[in-house]
Amino acid sequence: VRKAGLGLLMSMKGNFKPVPFIEDAAVPVADLPDYVRQLETFCADLGTPITYYAHASAGCLHVRPLMDASMASDVAKMPLIAQFSADLVRGYGGAISSEHGDGRSRSWLNEAFYGPDLYELFKQVKQIFDPHALLNPGIIVDPQPMTDNMRWPALGGRDARVGFSDYLQPPANLPQELTAWQVDGPTQPGDTGLSRAINLCNGSGVCRQTAGGTMCPSFMVTRDEMHSTRGRANALRAAMSGLLPPEELTSPRMHGVMDLCISCKACKSECPSAVDMARLKMEFLERYHEANGISLRERFFGNVAQLNRLGSGRLAPLSNAALGNGVVRSVLNRTLGLAPRRKLPPLAEQTFESWFNQRPRRESAKQLVLLVDPFTNANYPEIGRAAVEFLETAGYGITMVAADEGRAFLSKGLLSEAREAADLTLEALMPCADSGLPIVGLEPSSLLTLRDEYLYLLGDDVRASRVAAQALTFEEFVAHEAVAGRLDVEFKREARRLLLHGHCHQKALIGTGPARAALSLPPGYTVEEVDSGCCGMAGSFGYEAEHYDVSMAMAERRLLPAVRSADEETIIVAAGVSCRQQIAHGSERTALHPAQVLRQALAES
């Protein structure tokens, strides 16, 4: 709780944040209640609430006033509160810096707190060991005022909001309207949505973890600060604040900083401040394209749904022959910058849509909508068939909607095209949502786009929230129906071990609990989940030549060793198409979609 407390407090939406400048004060434990009560009263009289976190056992309860550091009136309160706290602490025989050190926020209090004799001794020690004041000048002795050197500009006593409009005032050649979307919370004149999102990063560095979880996959394998969520946020902040030349915001160098973000969304759930770097990257890429153009490879992967549709069906034999031809592959690799060791997914001779439309419709009182993503439709229709056979056996009538939800466009920052795809998808799904039917998707990244990106991509379009409320992954739907007693199926009785790898978006937005619950329905099925982070494929990322090694390093960190060590009887399970491709490429094991696992587990009728 103590370790999580800071991040949770700093994730508060809006400009008001718990500001650290008196939090390290400690008094004798018996006096701590009185200290806190007096501090509360003083701050309340100033109109400033305070927050608490951490521990109190040694007389140190971390107290942070809730302030907006971009408002001159709030900044003016900071020295008043700090001086009052210091006077209280001295009266109780405590310490203003009990564990963290004085730093820039408290050094200005040292002379008054410790007295002139001791303070003079501090200065002599500093002079002896650092005669030229090269080591942390202004710390402990000879300090500047505590409100200098803040992230926000010097406010000069003006009682007006200046923060985002001054601190993040874009230079003349950089448009103020950097982005259309806003972070939750009230906005103020001059605020830009992108700046607010970047400043959610409080620098705690949880994204630099390497032991478990998913955030941040690229840092886990590179150990490079630049490729952490914090590093990317700081680089964007530096370009927007003027610390870097304005052209750096859309420069190839900034593109290099953002390049290894694989948009896994883990930071959205694992970062205590919920920094959504996947969202920031999409916005960055759109601005980058405006300044530098769109490459052929980005257009190729952005339009992969349309290309797959054109190349599948009757043209599939020709398409697959071409993709398997060494000369054609060599040309594609050179032209698009693809990794030679990767094979593009095969195209189906009969799409799922074609197969489904040739079947008689099953009538049932229980109805659902199956949202068929482009890869299930054109590349892996067997997954869709398994889902239909399982759901129909369970007594459901199915309406099929095949749609390109725009996931590939989003990953390449082609937001205009993504909005068009989203509009078409919502148009197709609205009658289903109006009828109250569950909308069930097989590909996590596809289905969850409806519940995440659509809600801000299309602004105030009410269709987005209505469709999102009905959208469920296949595993969510099955688990929910099982709990409700509506899943009328009979399974084989056999002992099987399942090794589950969760899709990144699945883990970030809904967790893998529904997948484990659904896969545990057959009697004797035991599900073990790999703490594998990201598989490293991440859509087109693993296909791109310069990313191949990093992609494989991500997979080799946990996922591929776990798959290789599993015996042949173990069923490898992964809902994401990219995850299954990576597993097949790196281990030569075939991973099944949960729909395939449950279909195979059905008792013979």
Side-chain angles (χ1 to χ4, degrees):
V1 173
R2 182 187 68 79
K3 290 182 178 180
L6 173 59
L8 292 170
L9 285 174
M10 295 306 293
S11 67
M12 296 173 66
K13 305 298 184 184
N15 296 334
F16 283 87
K17 303 286 185 184
V19 182
F21 59 97
I22 59 171
E23 67 169 4
D24 208 27
V27 297
V29 176
D31 297 320
L32 184 60
D34 289 336
Y35 164 76
V36 172
R37 289 191 194 100
Q38 290 174 278
L39 189 62
E40 265 188 339
T41 300
F42 183 81
C43 290
D45 290 343
L46 293 176
T48 300
I50 60 179
T51 62
Y52 318 86
Y53 82 99
H55 44 76
S57 62
C60 175
L61 176 68
H62 290 315
V63 177
R64 291 191 174 197
L66 193 62
M67 313 184 84
D68 180 353
S70 69
M71 291 179 63
S73 57
D74 268 16
V75 171
K77 298 176 186 177
M78 292 172 63
L80 302 178
I81 295 172
Q83 185 68 65
F84 181 80
S85 171
D87 291 344
L88 278 181
V89 170
R90 190 177 188 190
Y92 286 120
I96 56 174
S97 299
S98 66
E99 59 176 337
H100 294 165
D102 294 326
R104 299 184 187 279
S105 64
R106 288 186 287 275
S107 291
W108 67 282
L109 294 165
N110 282 345
E111 185 170 10
F113 188 83
Y114 293 106
D117 294 340
L118 191 54
Y119 185 74
E120 181 60 30
L121 184 58
F122 291 169
K123 295 182 69 172
Q124 290 177 25
V125 171
K126 174 70 171 176
Q127 174 64 27
I128 292 169
F129 287 94
D130 185 20
H132 302 293
L134 300 178
L135 307 177
N136 278 341
I139 304 298
I140 310 298
V141 298
D142 302 321
Q144 295 173 302
M146 67 173 294
T147 53
D148 285 6
N149 298 306
M150 295 176 65
R151 178 178 293 171
W152 313 112
L155 303 181
R158 288 177 287 160
D159 189 14
R161 171 181 293 279
V162 296
F164 286 107
S165 56
D166 280 9
Y167 162 63
L168 290 175
Q169 181 66 42
N173 60 340
L174 187 64
Q176 176 80 18
E177 299 78 24
L178 289 170
T179 180
W181 63 270
Q182 297 289 340
V183 173
D184 295 340
T187 59
Q188 302 291 338
D191 289 1
T192 64
L194 188 56
S195 69
R196 291 171 62 81
I198 291 167
N199 279 290
L200 282 176
C201 177
N202 63 50
S204 63
V206 179
C207 51
R208 292 175 53 90
Q209 65 182 346
T210 59
T214 302
M215 180 181 70
C216 171
S218 49
F219 177 79
M220 285 183 177
V221 297
T222 65
R223 306 295 178 92
D224 188 334
E225 170 75 11
M226 181 176 80
H227 298 305
S228 67
T229 304
R230 180 176 71 178
R232 297 179 187 109
N234 280 335
L236 290 170
R237 178 158 45 214
M240 293 186 68
S241 66
L243 294 177
L244 293 175
E247 60 271 16
E248 284 288 356
L249 188 60
T250 54
S251 70
R253 189 163 68 151
M254 187 66 75
H255 188 276
V257 173
M258 303 298 292
D259 188 42
L260 295 191
C261 170
I262 56 175
S263 300
C264 66
K265 297 184 184 291
C267 48
K268 183 171 182 175
S269 61
E270 295 182 25
C271 169
S273 296
V275 175
D276 192 347
M277 189 53 62
R279 193 167 164 181
L280 285 167
K281 183 179 182 180
M282 290 189 303
E283 295 285 346
F284 162 77
L285 285 176
E286 185 177 46
R287 306 307 180 241
Y288 181 81
H289 295 330
E290 290 173 359
N292 300 280
I294 305 170
S295 71
L296 179 61
R297 184 171 74 184
E298 287 165 323
R299 293 191 185 277
F300 173 81
F301 281 121
N303 288 279
V304 69
Q306 291 77 10
L307 294 173
N308 280 354
R309 178 178 286 273
L310 290 173
S312 57
R314 293 179 179 178
L315 291 179
L318 180 61
S319 302
N320 291 330
L323 292 175
N325 181 276
V327 175
V328 174
R329 286 182 57 188
S330 178
V331 171
L332 280 175
N333 293 343
R334 289 198 306 272
T335 304
L336 301 176
L338 304 183
R341 284 172 281 185
R342 296 283 191 190
K343 293 181 180 179
L344 292 171
L347 294 156
E349 294 187 29
Q350 184 182 36
T351 64
F352 173 81
E353 187 175 11
S354 172
W355 174 83
F356 187 88
N357 288 335
Q358 293 175 18
R359 308 171 69 253
R361 179 180 172 85
R362 175 170 179 157
E363 298 299 331
S364 173
K366 299 187 298 185
Q367 294 288 323
L368 63 86
V369 178
L370 187 64
L371 176 64
V372 181
D373 60 276
F375 295 101
T376 298
N377 190 34
N379 300 100
Y380 304 104
E382 64 273 15
I383 292 173
R385 292 197 293 267
V388 168
E389 291 167 1
F390 174 80
L391 292 168
E392 285 188 343
T393 301
Y396 297 92
I398 300 172
T399 299
M400 187 271 298
V401 173
D404 171 18
E405 79 296 323
R407 178 79 253 161
F409 289 130
L410 289 170
S411 70
K412 294 303 178 186
L414 305 175
L415 301 193
S416 176
E417 292 87 342
R419 290 187 183 95
E420 292 179 13
D423 182 69
L424 292 173
T425 301
L426 291 178
E427 184 179 344
L429 292 175
M430 270 308 294
C432 311
D434 287 340
S435 300
L437 296 178
I439 300 168
V440 180
L442 298 170
E443 173 60 32
S445 63
S446 174
L447 186 283
L448 292 173
T449 298
L450 276 58
R451 285 163 55 173
D452 186 21
E453 286 88 353
Y454 278 21
L455 298 180
Y456 59 82
L457 191 67
L458 298 177
D460 297 327
D461 193 328
V462 296
R463 298 176 303 166
S465 57
R466 289 171 66 182
V467 167
Q470 302 296 116
L472 298 164
T473 65
F474 174 82
E475 299 95 310
E476 281 183 297
F477 177 77
V478 170
H480 179 270
E481 294 297 281
V483 170
R486 293 191 291 265
L487 198 68
D488 187 16
V489 294
E490 185 178 349
F491 292 106
K492 301 173 186 175
R493 293 186 174 274
E494 58 180 351
R496 298 300 302 268
R497 176 176 177 261
L498 279 60
L499 188 65
L500 172 66
H501 166 72
H503 187 285
C504 289
H505 294 185
Q506 180 183 22
K507 289 186 281 193
L509 299 178
I510 61 174
T512 54
R516 295 195 305 271
L519 292 167
S520 299
L521 290 174
Y525 276 37
T526 302
V527 181
E528 176 187 345
E529 184 176 357
V530 187
D531 182 13
S532 47
C534 179
C535 75
M537 196 65 181
S540 65
F541 181 85
Y543 284 106
E544 296 163 355
E546 71 275 21
H547 298 147
Y548 177 81
D549 290 340
V550 172
S551 169
M552 293 306 298
M554 292 178 186
E556 291 289 357
R557 195 181 67 85
R558 293 273 180 86
L559 175 60
L560 291 180
V563 171
R564 293 192 198 104
S565 64
D567 60 56
E568 293 184 2
E569 296 301 314
T570 297
I571 302 173
I572 312 300
V573 190
V577 60
S578 294
C579 309
R580 295 191 301 273
Q581 290 170 345
Q582 184 77 304
I583 290 169
H585 176 76
S587 70
E588 298 184 355
R589 291 287 298 269
T590 298
L592 300 182
H593 188 280
Q596 293 173 297
V597 175
L598 293 179
R599 171 64 185 89
Q600 292 178 8
L602 289 176
E604 297 298 331
S605 58

